[in-house]
Amino acid sequence: MRRRTLPALLLPLALLLAACGGATSASTTGDTDGKGSVTLNIGDQKGGYEAILRASGELDDLDYRVKWSTFTSGPPLLEAVNAKAVDIGGVGNTPPVFAAGSDSKVVVVGASHGSSAGEALVVPKDSPLRNPAQLRGKSIAVAQGSSAHYQLVASLKEAGLSVSDVKLNYLQPADALAAFSRGKVDAWAIWDPYTSQVLRTTKARVLTTGEGVVNGLSFQVASPSALKDAKKAEAIGDLLARLQRAQDWVFKHPEAWAKVWAKETGLPYEVALDAVKRSYGTRVPVAIDPAAIASEQAIADTFADLKLIPRRFTFKEYVDTRFNRDLPPSSTAPRSYGKASS
């Protein structure tokens, strides 16, 4: 019974491999909104930009048109940006590193900083493991190239270990859940909303989180060709401002957003609310400043050392700071609702 039902828990989240996720992809095109001669092609994920902008009222009174394309994760979204099929889209802190490492034509134009509590390494509740230093020789499930992958690497380093000291099982969330629930792996590195879902629906507990070891950043990434188009660049600036206001709305209305998000994704409301309070509602739009660039450079260097990206590169060369406006520094503390359920 358990083996048959637990993997199904993640099926509603098949479209939420969250910007942070691996290479699984699927895309569809949505309808258009607004008016005017300019059409901004936005790469989205289920329950992402379009949902949050609609719920907050920020899709009202656009003076440009919007065409939505939906992706299951960050890497294929950035492939579309590279191919000029998408003008801009939102991803986590790791997909831009893999895209730039492959010499893709992408430019980071916006950023937000949130809590890293949802970037977690979980173990069964009855596990004898009590701290990351005890992971030596243990098997760990993780999605390769995801933000959870970097959080795992950083957490191991913090504990005096390296990836060579553990047994990595590169698995996407549905397969990882099956392995975790059957005791095939000792631990699982995940991100929200998976973290919130697993803590709500399985006998799991958090061994460690990304707090204090990862940067908590997420990004909006645009096509260089769109940025060279004056009208599209203006629309991108407007979109970033609307996303900033929408994020403020989420923080002020977490329950309302959780209801919308649950409907969009198929998540139980309680799981959605946990994820909002633990991760997504904590985000603060921030400037892409030298500290943010240096932090991403460290991620790039780490994956280059692990030979998981094909080349070393300078992250700063993939950044455009024209939209920083008067945003606070990237080190700005995440918003807090208090402790989420676990």
Side-chain angles (χ1 to χ4, degrees):
M1 179 79 170
R2 190 180 199 185
R3 285 196 294 268
R4 293 175 62 187
T5 58
L6 284 180
L9 291 172
L10 288 186
L11 290 179
L13 295 180
L15 295 178
L16 269 179
L17 291 181
C20 313
T24 304
S25 66
S27 62
T28 58
T29 55
D31 54 11
T32 59
D33 301 280
K35 56 187 177 181
S37 60
V38 176
T39 297
L40 195 62
N41 298 294
I42 303 177
D44 198 16
Q45 297 179 59
K46 192 69 172 177
Y49 277 7
E50 183 176 12
I52 192 173
L53 289 168
R54 284 194 188 284
S56 61
E58 289 295 335
L59 280 183
D60 298 338
D61 303 320
L62 292 175
D63 58 5
Y64 51 91
R65 298 174 67 82
V66 173
K67 183 176 181 181
W68 301 98
S69 297
T70 305
F71 299 83
T72 56
S73 64
L77 191 159
L78 293 190
E79 289 174 10
V81 172
N82 178 58
K84 302 180 183 179
V86 165
D87 296 319
I88 186 171
V91 297
N93 65 0
T94 304
V97 166
F98 275 74
S102 299
D103 202 21
S104 295
K105 293 179 175 59
V106 297
V107 182
V108 175
V109 294
S112 62
H113 184 218
S115 170
S116 298
E119 299 277 346
L121 191 63
V122 298
V123 296
K125 279 193 174 179
D126 59 359
S127 170
L129 299 175
R130 293 296 167 182
N131 63 72
Q134 297 175 314
L135 288 168
R136 187 184 298 273
K138 303 301 182 182
S139 58
I140 306 171
V142 63
Q144 185 172 4
S146 65
S147 63
H149 192 177
Y150 181 70
Q151 184 265 328
L152 173 60
V153 171
S155 294
L156 289 173
K157 183 178 180 179
E158 187 84 358
L161 302 175
S162 70
V163 291
S164 62
D165 293 317
V166 298
K167 302 172 185 176
L168 296 186
N169 289 259
Y170 290 127
L171 300 171
Q172 290 297 318
D175 293 331
L177 174 61
F180 181 77
S181 62
R182 296 171 188 171
K184 300 296 184 182
V185 294
D186 298 300
W188 182 15
I190 47 176
W191 61 91
D192 257 329
Y194 300 115
T195 302
S196 295
Q197 191 177 34
V198 167
L199 293 178
R200 277 278 184 180
T201 57
T202 72
K203 294 181 179 180
R205 60 179 169 83
V206 172
L207 183 68
T208 189
T209 73
E211 291 186 294
V213 295
V214 298
N215 62 22
L217 294 172
S218 56
F219 297 102
Q220 290 84 45
V221 183
S223 162
S225 61
L227 293 171
K228 291 177 183 177
D229 182 315
K231 291 185 177 181
K232 280 198 172 185
E234 183 179 356
I236 286 172
D238 179 75
L239 175 69
L240 294 175
R242 289 173 184 270
L243 285 170
Q244 179 179 352
R245 294 193 296 267
Q247 193 62 55
D248 290 340
W249 178 86
V250 167
F251 179 70
K252 294 173 183 176
H253 304 87
E255 292 85 2
W257 171 237
K259 288 178 182 178
V260 172
W261 199 28
K263 183 177 180 180
E264 287 282 327
T265 62
L267 285 166
Y269 169 74
E270 294 79 8
V271 171
L273 185 59
D274 282 352
V276 169
K277 291 187 174 183
R278 181 180 282 111
S279 299
Y280 297 111
T282 70
R283 291 176 180 168
V284 180
V286 295
I288 313 170
D289 56 16
I293 293 169
S295 181
E296 286 296 298
Q297 186 67 56
I299 296 176
D301 292 343
T302 296
F303 281 113
D305 290 340
L306 294 172
K307 301 188 185 305
L308 290 175
I309 57 176
R311 70 186 184 99
R312 291 185 177 277
F313 65 94
T314 302
F315 190 81
K316 185 177 181 180
E317 296 175 356
Y318 291 83
V319 171
D320 186 331
T321 60
R322 78 175 81 172
F323 304 107
N324 274 351
R325 301 183 300 278
D326 296 321
L327 291 171
S330 62
S331 58
T332 300
R335 294 160 167 151
S336 176
Y337 295 100
K339 189 175 180 181
S341 300
S342 62

